[in-house]
Amino acid sequence: MSQQTSEYRHLAASVLLPGFRGPTLPDWLRARLAAGLAGVCLFAENIVDESAARSTGGDADGDTQPSAGDSDARLAALTAQIRAANPTAVVAIDEEGGDVTRLAAATGSPYPGNAVLGRLDDPTLTAAVARAVATRLAAGGVTLNLAPVADVNSNPLNPVIGVRSFGASAELAARHVAAWTAAHEEVGVATSVKHFPGHGDVALDSHHDLPVLDVDRDLLRSRELVPFAAAIAAGARTVMTSHIVVRSVDPTGPATFSAPVLQGLLRDELGFSGVIVSDALDMRGASGAIGIPAAAVRALAAGVDLLCLGPRITDAQLTDIESAIVAAVESGALSADRLREAAARVATLATTAPPAVQLDDPSAATGLPDADRIAAAFDVRPGAVPPPGARLVQIETAANVAVGRIPWGLAAAGVAVDRIHPGDPVPAGPLVLIGKDNHRYSWVCEMIDKTRIVGPTLVVDMGWPSPDRAYADVATFGASRAVGVALHHWLIAHGLGQAR
């Protein structure tokens, strides 16, 4: 191997951020970190005792669920191993503070989530939640949180953003994205505002498809870009791309591969000078047609600096990705200067010292909203109350990939519920039926229609409801454990448990 090829291979490794399987740092990944790999992106399976999560199933009494300290201790131990191999490694995680959680994947999140915070519209409260999340991550050795979500959820049929967004208004989302970003960065954990230039007005999930954002440039600037501009002004050190086609800017492919989007909009127009991070390249919207190595080359050429590769990358795949980058540089398809520029930006991020934070009790964060405050964000149809003697039935639909299978709703709050799945018989009433994004599933709508005919039914939607609220007598705009507790309090306050 020539000296130049060796340099290119080292540079290629220095812009890669893979995940891995299981709770133990593999020897091959330890060796790559020691040789200069940029860092690691952690997922729930790396830090949560999945057997404990399965044993509770979200139905166990709250006192017997895995504690917050379990995952925090595993996280700290794992990041110590990572940093022993590479003291300047970027340690990243998705901890959005609501339905999307890695630390609380066994129990459900203790935080309310973005849509609830947006509806309460108190940026000071949003900052308190962000500070609590960042403090917990810093104590565990995390240096980069792949949050906050800056997408304006203007499409109620959006299958992947929904309650992860602060709202459907650009100005509201911008207020809270800025508050979250500033508080997080003050603690010392870098933020990655996502998913640029905005994933809110699409009806497909880029984990499985290639969505198209079909809006003109004026609307893009006045809606999608507004929260990103606010986050940049608030000090966001990284911005994450989206695997969506922005037709009015570049119809040729996803934003992750688009210089007009990344260089033209993000760098030139918004003035961002930090690290551009790709959304996971194993997603179908990025690599479904070309494979991850080719996707890595295209992303770098377009202006991405740090390549998030996904949760289950292998040693052999990393070799293939590095080789594809080296070959692209040597053939002239990728500029060596572009690769050096990306590596330099990542190095600046990586060499920022992780904050020294001690957290004795990770569940004792201050300034978080109580159940009544969270319930104030609920949208309740006038006169809606649980019918006397109602059964609690939780509707189980397929979780999107970003959220994953974690306890949610009343079950996460330790409340005994019955569960219903596709194909199950219609439950007998009176009922409190609890689902997520009810209007998006035809079988859920049909079941709700039937139960309303048969007997008294209160329908709760813990996702993002339809504008007409046809299948949401109560809309909570989140399904985290914290929101589940608030919903249970609300139901009791409004008559749950009264005799028929």
Side-chain angles (χ1 to χ4, degrees), residues 124-176:
T124 301
L125 176 60
T126 295
V129 172
R131 198 171 292 111
V133 173
T135 301
R136 188 173 173 187
L137 294 179
V142 171
T143 59
L144 173 62
N145 191 6
L146 304 177
V149 169
D151 307 303
V152 179
N153 198 63
S154 54
N155 186 344
L157 290 178
N158 194 311
V160 69
I161 302 301
V163 300
R164 300 167 65 196
S165 168
F166 285 106
S169 157
E171 291 72 22
L172 181 146
R175 283 195 295 277
H176 292 274

Coordinates of all heavy atoms in Angstrom, one line a residue, residues 124-176:
T124 N -38.8 27.9 28.3 CA -38.0 27.6 29.5 C -38.1 26.1 29.9 O -37.2 25.5 30.4 CB -38.5 28.5 30.6 OG1 -38.3 29.9 30.2 CG2 -37.7 28.3 31.9
L125 N -39.4 25.6 29.8 CA -39.6 24.2 30.1 C -38.9 23.3 29.2 O -38.2 22.3 29.5 CB -41.1 23.9 30.1 CG -41.5 22.5 30.4 CD1 -41.0 22.0 31.7 CD2 -43.0 22.3 30.2
T126 N -38.9 23.6 27.9 CA -38.2 22.8 26.9 C -36.7 22.8 27.2 O -36.0 21.8 27.1 CB -38.4 23.4 25.5 OG1 -39.8 23.3 25.2 CG2 -37.6 22.7 24.4
A127 N -36.2 24.0 27.6 CA -34.7 24.0 27.9 C -34.4 23.2 29.2 O -33.4 22.5 29.2 CB -34.3 25.5 28.2
A128 N -35.4 23.1 30.1 CA -35.1 22.3 31.3 C -35.1 20.8 31.0 O -34.3 20.1 31.5 CB -36.3 22.5 32.3
V129 N -36.0 20.4 30.1 CA -36.0 19.0 29.6 C -34.7 18.7 28.9 O -34.0 17.7 29.1 CB -37.2 18.7 28.7 CG1 -37.1 17.3 28.1 CG2 -38.5 18.8 29.6
A130 N -34.3 19.6 28.0 CA -33.1 19.4 27.2 C -31.9 19.3 28.1 O -31.0 18.5 27.9 CB -32.9 20.5 26.2
R131 N -31.8 20.2 29.1 CA -30.7 20.1 30.1 C -30.7 18.8 30.9 O -29.6 18.3 31.1 CB -30.9 21.3 31.0 CG -29.6 21.7 31.8 CD -29.8 23.0 32.5 NE -29.9 24.2 31.6 CZ -31.0 24.9 31.4 NH1 -32.1 24.6 32.0 NH2 -31.0 25.9 30.5
A132 N -31.9 18.3 31.2 CA -31.9 17.1 32.0 C -31.4 15.9 31.1 O -30.6 15.1 31.6 CB -33.3 16.8 32.4
V133 N -31.8 15.9 29.8 CA -31.4 14.8 28.9 C -29.8 15.0 28.7 O -29.1 14.0 28.8 CB -32.1 15.0 27.6 CG1 -31.5 14.0 26.5 CG2 -33.6 14.7 27.7
A134 N -29.4 16.2 28.5 CA -27.9 16.4 28.2 C -27.1 16.0 29.4 O -26.0 15.4 29.3 CB -27.7 17.8 27.8
T135 N -27.6 16.3 30.6 CA -26.8 16.0 31.8 C -26.7 14.5 32.0 O -25.6 14.0 32.3 CB -27.5 16.6 33.0 OG1 -27.6 18.1 32.9 CG2 -26.7 16.3 34.3
R136 N -27.7 13.8 31.7 CA -27.7 12.4 31.8 C -26.7 11.8 30.8 O -26.0 10.8 31.1 CB -29.1 11.8 31.7 CG -29.2 10.3 31.9 CD -30.7 9.9 31.9 NE -30.8 8.5 32.0 CZ -32.0 7.8 31.9 NH1 -33.1 8.5 31.7 NH2 -32.0 6.5 32.0
L137 N -26.8 12.3 29.6 CA -25.9 11.8 28.5 C -24.4 12.1 28.8 O -23.5 11.3 28.7 CB -26.3 12.4 27.2 CG -27.6 12.0 26.6 CD1 -27.9 12.7 25.3 CD2 -27.7 10.4 26.4
A138 N -24.2 13.3 29.3 CA -22.8 13.7 29.7 C -22.3 12.8 30.8 O -21.1 12.4 30.7 CB -22.8 15.2 30.1
A139 N -23.1 12.5 31.8 CA -22.6 11.6 32.8 C -22.3 10.3 32.3 O -21.4 9.6 32.9 CB -23.7 11.6 33.9
G140 N -22.9 9.9 31.2 CA -22.7 8.6 30.6 C -21.6 8.6 29.6 O -21.3 7.5 29.0
G141 N -21.0 9.7 29.3 CA -19.8 9.8 28.4 C -20.2 10.0 26.9 O -19.4 9.9 26.0
V142 N -21.5 10.4 26.7 CA -21.9 10.7 25.3 C -21.5 12.1 25.0 O -21.6 13.1 25.8 CB -23.4 10.6 25.2 CG1 -23.9 11.1 23.8 CG2 -23.8 9.1 25.4
T143 N -21.0 12.3 23.8 CA -20.5 13.7 23.3 C -21.4 14.3 22.2 O -21.3 15.5 22.0 CB -19.1 13.6 22.8 OG1 -19.0 12.7 21.7 CG2 -18.1 13.1 23.9
L144 N -22.2 13.5 21.6 CA -23.1 14.0 20.5 C -24.5 13.3 20.6 O -24.6 12.1 20.5 CB -22.4 13.7 19.1 CG -23.3 14.0 17.9 CD1 -23.6 15.5 17.8 CD2 -22.6 13.5 16.6
N145 N -25.5 14.2 20.8 CA -26.9 13.7 20.7 C -27.5 14.0 19.4 O -27.5 15.2 19.0 CB -27.7 14.3 21.9 CG -29.0 13.7 22.0 OD1 -29.3 12.7 21.4 ND2 -29.9 14.2 22.9
L146 N -28.0 13.0 18.7 CA -28.6 13.2 17.4 C -30.0 13.7 17.6 O -31.0 13.1 17.3 CB -28.5 11.9 16.6 CG -27.1 11.3 16.4 CD1 -27.2 10.0 15.7 CD2 -26.2 12.3 15.7
A147 N -30.1 14.9 18.1 CA -31.3 15.6 18.4 C -30.9 17.1 18.5 O -29.7 17.4 18.6 CB -31.9 15.1 19.7
P148 N -31.9 18.0 18.4 CA -33.3 17.9 18.4 C -33.9 17.7 16.9 O -33.2 18.0 16.0 CB -33.8 19.2 19.0 CG -32.9 20.2 18.5 CD -31.5 19.5 18.5
V149 N -35.1 17.3 16.9 CA -35.9 17.2 15.6 C -36.4 18.6 15.3 O -37.0 19.3 16.1 CB -37.0 16.2 15.7 CG1 -38.0 16.4 14.5 CG2 -36.5 14.8 15.8
A150 N -36.0 19.1 14.1 CA -36.4 20.5 13.7 C -37.4 20.4 12.6 O -37.8 21.5 12.1 CB -35.2 21.3 13.2
D151 N -37.9 19.3 12.3 CA -38.9 19.1 11.2 C -40.2 19.7 11.6 O -40.7 19.5 12.8 CB -39.1 17.7 10.9 CG -37.8 16.9 10.5 OD1 -37.1 17.4 9.6 OD2 -37.5 16.0 11.2
V152 N -40.8 20.5 10.7 CA -42.2 21.1 11.0 C -43.2 20.1 10.5 O -43.3 19.8 9.3 CB -42.3 22.4 10.2 CG1 -43.7 23.0 10.5 CG2 -41.2 23.4 10.6
N153 N -43.9 19.5 11.4 CA -44.8 18.4 11.0 C -46.1 18.9 10.4 O -47.2 18.9 11.0 CB -45.1 17.5 12.2 CG -45.7 16.1 11.8 OD1 -44.9 15.4 11.2 ND2 -46.9 15.8 12.1
S154 N -46.0 19.4 9.2 CA -47.2 20.0 8.5 C -48.0 18.9 7.8 O -49.2 19.3 7.4 CB -46.7 21.0 7.5 OG -45.8 20.4 6.6
N155 N -47.6 17.7 7.7 CA -48.4 16.6 7.1 C -48.8 15.6 8.2 O -48.0 14.9 8.7 CB -47.6 15.9 6.0 CG -48.4 14.9 5.3 OD1 -49.5 14.5 5.7 ND2 -47.9 14.5 4.1
P156 N -50.1 15.6 8.6 CA -50.6 14.7 9.6 C -50.4 13.2 9.3 O -50.6 12.4 10.1 CB -52.0 15.1 9.9 CG -52.4 15.7 8.6 CD -51.2 16.4 8.1
L157 N -50.2 12.9 8.0 CA -50.0 11.5 7.6 C -48.5 11.1 7.6 O -48.2 10.0 7.2 CB -50.6 11.3 6.2 CG -52.1 11.3 6.1 CD1 -52.5 11.1 4.6 CD2 -52.7 10.3 7.0
N158 N -47.7 12.0 8.1 CA -46.2 11.7 8.1 C -46.0 10.5 9.0 O -46.4 10.5 10.2 CB -45.5 12.9 8.7 CG -44.0 12.8 8.5 OD1 -43.4 11.8 8.8 ND2 -43.4 13.9 8.0
P159 N -45.4 9.4 8.5 CA -45.3 8.2 9.2 C -44.1 8.1 10.1 O -44.0 7.1 10.9 CB -45.2 7.1 8.1 CG -44.4 7.8 7.0 CD -44.9 9.3 7.1
V160 N -43.2 9.0 10.1 CA -41.9 8.9 10.9 C -41.6 10.1 11.7 O -40.8 10.0 12.7 CB -40.8 8.6 9.9 CG1 -40.4 9.8 9.0 CG2 -39.6 8.1 10.6
I161 N -42.2 11.2 11.5 CA -41.9 12.4 12.3 C -43.0 12.6 13.4 O -42.8 12.2 14.6 CB -41.8 13.7 11.5 CG1 -40.7 13.5 10.4 CG2 -41.4 14.9 12.4 CD1 -39.3 13.2 11.0
G162 N -44.1 13.0 13.1 CA -45.3 13.1 14.0 C -44.9 13.8 15.3 O -44.4 14.9 15.4
V163 N -45.1 13.1 16.5 CA -44.9 13.7 17.8 C -43.4 14.0 18.1 O -43.1 14.6 19.1 CB -45.5 12.8 18.9 CG1 -47.0 12.7 18.7 CG2 -44.8 11.5 19.0
R164 N -42.5 13.6 17.2 CA -41.1 13.9 17.4 C -40.9 15.4 17.1 O -39.8 16.0 17.4 CB -40.2 13.0 16.5 CG -40.3 11.5 16.8 CD -39.7 10.7 15.7 NE -38.3 10.9 15.6 CZ -37.6 10.6 14.5 NH1 -38.2 10.0 13.4 NH2 -36.3 10.8 14.5
S165 N -41.8 16.0 16.4 CA -41.7 17.4 16.0 C -42.3 18.3 17.1 O -43.2 17.9 17.8 CB -42.5 17.6 14.7 OG -42.7 19.0 14.5
F166 N -41.8 19.5 17.2 CA -42.4 20.4 18.2 C -43.7 21.0 17.7 O -44.5 21.6 18.5 CB -41.4 21.6 18.5 CG -40.2 21.2 19.3 CD1 -39.0 21.0 18.8 CD2 -40.4 21.0 20.7 CE1 -37.9 20.7 19.6 CE2 -39.3 20.6 21.5 CZ -38.1 20.5 20.9
G167 N -44.0 20.9 16.4 CA -45.3 21.4 16.0 C -45.4 21.6 14.5 O -44.5 21.3 13.7
A168 N -46.6 22.1 14.1 CA -46.9 22.3 12.6 C -46.6 23.7 12.2 O -46.8 24.1 11.1 CB -48.3 21.9 12.3
S169 N -46.2 24.6 13.2 CA -45.8 26.0 12.9 C -44.3 26.1 12.9 O -43.7 25.7 13.8 CB -46.5 26.9 13.9 OG -45.8 28.1 14.0
A170 N -43.8 26.8 11.8 CA -42.4 27.0 11.7 C -41.8 27.8 12.9 O -40.8 27.5 13.5 CB -42.0 27.6 10.4
E171 N -42.6 28.9 13.2 CA -42.1 29.8 14.3 C -42.1 29.1 15.6 O -41.2 29.3 16.4 CB -43.0 31.0 14.3 CG -42.8 31.9 13.1 CD -43.4 31.4 11.8 OE1 -44.4 30.5 11.9 OE2 -43.0 31.8 10.7
L172 N -43.2 28.3 15.9 CA -43.2 27.6 17.2 C -42.1 26.6 17.3 O -41.4 26.5 18.3 CB -44.6 26.9 17.3 CG -44.8 26.1 18.6 CD1 -46.3 26.2 19.1 CD2 -44.4 24.6 18.5
A173 N -41.9 25.8 16.2 CA -40.8 24.8 16.2 C -39.5 25.5 16.4 O -38.6 25.0 17.1 CB -40.9 24.0 14.9
A174 N -39.3 26.6 15.8 CA -38.0 27.4 15.9 C -37.7 27.8 17.3 O -36.6 27.7 17.8 CB -38.0 28.6 14.9
R175 N -38.8 28.3 18.0 CA -38.6 28.7 19.4 C -38.0 27.5 20.3 O -37.1 27.7 21.1 CB -39.9 29.2 20.0 CG -40.3 30.5 19.6 CD -41.4 31.0 20.5 NE -42.7 30.3 20.5 CZ -43.6 30.5 19.6 NH1 -43.5 31.4 18.6 NH2 -44.7 29.8 19.6
H176 N -38.6 26.4 20.1 CA -38.3 25.2 20.9 C -37.0 24.5 20.5 O -36.3 24.0 21.3 CB -39.5 24.3 21.0 CG -40.6 24.9 21.8 ND1 -40.7 24.9 23.1 CD2 -41.7 25.7 21.3 CE1 -41.8 25.6 23.5 NE2 -42.4 26.1 22.4

